[in-house]
Amino acid sequence: MAAFVPRNVFPALHSLPRSYFLGHHKAGLDKMKTMLSHIDLVIECRDYRIPFTSRNPLFEENLAGRERLIVYTKKDLGSGGQQKDRNRERLIQDFQQPTPVLFSDYKDKTSIRKILDFARTHATAVNSLTGSRMMIVGMPNVGKSSLLNALRGVGVHRGKVAHTGAQPGVTRKIGTTVKIIEGEESGEGVYLMDTPGVFIPYVPNTEAMLKLALCGSVKDTIIAPTTLADYLLFHLNADDPSAYGDYVSPTNDVMVLLDAMARKTGRLQKGGEPDIEASALWLIQRWRNGHLGRFLLDEVTPETLESEKRTHESTGLSLSQGRKMVKELRKQKSRQKHLKAL
């Protein structure tokens, strides 16, 4: 029997949507800008599994002028705690200099205390009698609200205040400030403001859209679950095909995997037919919860960092530019449909 050979390239899917910038994203960003004068520190959350793709240049463009801390959330879903993971984290920290960088798992109190220590040190430097105000921002569903709840729980030993969920859009408005560090004699403490996730106005390529969708930054109805499952299978095979070994031997055919999963887990329709879409959603959720391996979708190496640096310097995409690119893409698709109909 021939040895299994995983795919080394995932096919480009030009029909995928390239934007998920919604009305409440713009409204939230506009509101953040008006409140910036009252903010001492912006904590920008990015997803550990997609450290490049979850960067939103709109924050750097619209929230400039305030000190910033980058926190890569959901570390537990992308790191195995090995030396290669620590080396990768150092590369990211060096790449983001002079902006400070921390890595977080909201269930890990040690990582939460590091963020609190940073916030406390920053607040002490500000030395305001009315306390320090900070704002937490990020793409949809990167874990902002979960991080806020964890900071509050560890910092002042209080319960959750921010609603969380598996799908993006749970936080749709800017909330009130929440105390995360008790005040001392010289001040009132540190307060953190939760904000809605803001998507980028235009996704540069279809693979970036797949990564964002797979990590939950867009609703699962935007891209077909079987397409996302196929993209996940591509990465599972590159990392460790044995992750799904309980269901089927290594395969590049997502339908073979989903059929086997449906039959083994009882996800069947009338007549005993496998429910492929339900199995695809279940597969995706299993990976999102860390049950099918812990790995990154973005490759982090000195070479990819250099490439990201060039991209970073050339893609300061404004809202108006993003809208123009989305309109142009729609026109191209419309022309292609018209030509096919002739």
Side-chain angles (χ1 to χ4, degrees), residues 282-294:
W282 183 76
L283 171 68
I284 293 164
Q285 203 57 46
R286 291 281 293 172
W287 178 74
R288 287 176 181 167
N289 292 333
H291 300 305
L292 289 172
R294 290 170 168 80

Side-chain angles (χ1 to χ4, degrees), residues 61-340:
E61 175 188 335
N62 291 275
L63 305 181
R66 286 294 174 271
E67 289 194 50
R68 191 163 54 111
L69 167 68
I70 299 175
V71 176
Y72 289 92
T73 59
K74 306 186 182 184
K75 175 181 175 178
D76 55 311
L77 301 178
S79 170
Q82 300 176 4
Q83 187 60 46
K84 65 176 183 179
D85 300 306
R86 290 187 285 273
N87 292 342
R88 182 174 58 226
E89 290 168 12
R90 278 196 291 271
L91 282 174
I92 292 173
Q93 287 176 318
D94 291 342
F95 175 71
Q96 292 295 345
Q97 285 185 352
T99 304
V101 167
L102 292 172
F103 303 92
S104 170
D105 163 15
Y106 77 91
K107 299 184 290 293
D108 176 25
K109 290 185 179 181
T110 298
S111 70
I112 297 302
R113 288 191 185 100
K114 288 181 180 179
I115 300 172
L116 288 169
D117 288 343
F118 184 96
R120 186 179 291 106
T121 301
H122 188 275
T124 301
V126 172
N127 193 26
S128 171
L129 292 176
T130 59
S132 177
R133 265 65 179 174
M134 302 180 181
M135 178 186 288
I136 189 166
V137 303
M139 292 272 274
N141 210 22
V142 294
K144 299 181 300 299
S145 298
S146 294
L147 179 58
L148 184 150
N149 287 332
L151 291 168
R152 177 175 167 84
V154 175
V156 297
H157 309 292
R158 300 284 180 86
K160 296 179 180 179
V161 290
H163 296 292
T164 61
Q167 291 291 295
V170 174
T171 305
R172 300 178 74 91
K173 294 182 179 179
I174 291 179
T176 56
T177 54
V178 174
K179 181 178 281 190
I180 61 170
I181 297 175
E182 293 288 0
E184 298 177 354
E185 292 182 4
S186 59
E188 288 191 5
V190 178
Y191 295 82
L192 185 61
M193 181 185 301
D194 197 13
T195 65
V198 177
F199 205 77
I200 51 180
Y202 180 78
V203 180
N205 56 72
T206 55
E207 186 166 12
M209 192 69 178
L210 286 169
K211 291 176 180 178
L212 290 165
L214 189 53
C215 289
S217 285
V218 303
K219 287 189 175 181
D220 288 338
T221 54
I222 301 300
I223 296 177
T226 51
T227 299
L228 282 184
D230 191 23
Y231 186 63
L232 173 56
L233 176 61
F234 170 72
H235 280 281
L236 287 171
N237 284 337
D239 181 66
D240 181 12
S242 69
Y244 57 85
D246 289 343
Y247 308 99
V248 71
S249 57
T251 179
N252 287 316
D253 190 334
V254 71
M255 291 304 175
V256 170
L257 173 60
L258 295 178
D259 184 284
M261 280 188 160
R263 297 183 188 280
K264 191 148 187 177
T265 62
R267 286 174 169 76
L268 304 174
Q269 297 175 322
K270 289 182 179 180
E273 288 297 310
D275 191 332
I276 297 299
E277 183 168 311
S279 297
L281 289 169
W282 183 76
L283 171 68
I284 293 164
Q285 203 57 46
R286 291 281 293 172
W287 178 74
R288 287 176 181 167
N289 292 333
H291 300 305
L292 289 172
R294 290 170 168 80
F295 53 85
L296 271 63
L297 302 181
D298 283 343
E299 185 181 6
V300 180
T301 65
E303 292 74 26
T304 57
L305 285 169
E306 186 60 36
S307 175
E308 176 65 15
K309 182 179 180 181
R310 292 194 295 270
T311 303
H312 189 114
E313 292 170 348
S314 63
T315 57
L317 193 64
S318 68
L319 288 179
S320 59
Q321 288 172 322
R323 290 195 187 99
K324 287 179 182 178
M325 295 177 79
V326 171
K327 287 181 181 178
E328 183 58 33
L329 186 63
R330 286 173 180 165
K331 287 179 182 178
Q332 290 177 8
K333 289 181 178 179
S334 179
R335 286 194 292 267
Q336 289 171 357
K337 286 182 180 179
H338 178 70
L339 291 172
K340 287 181 180 178

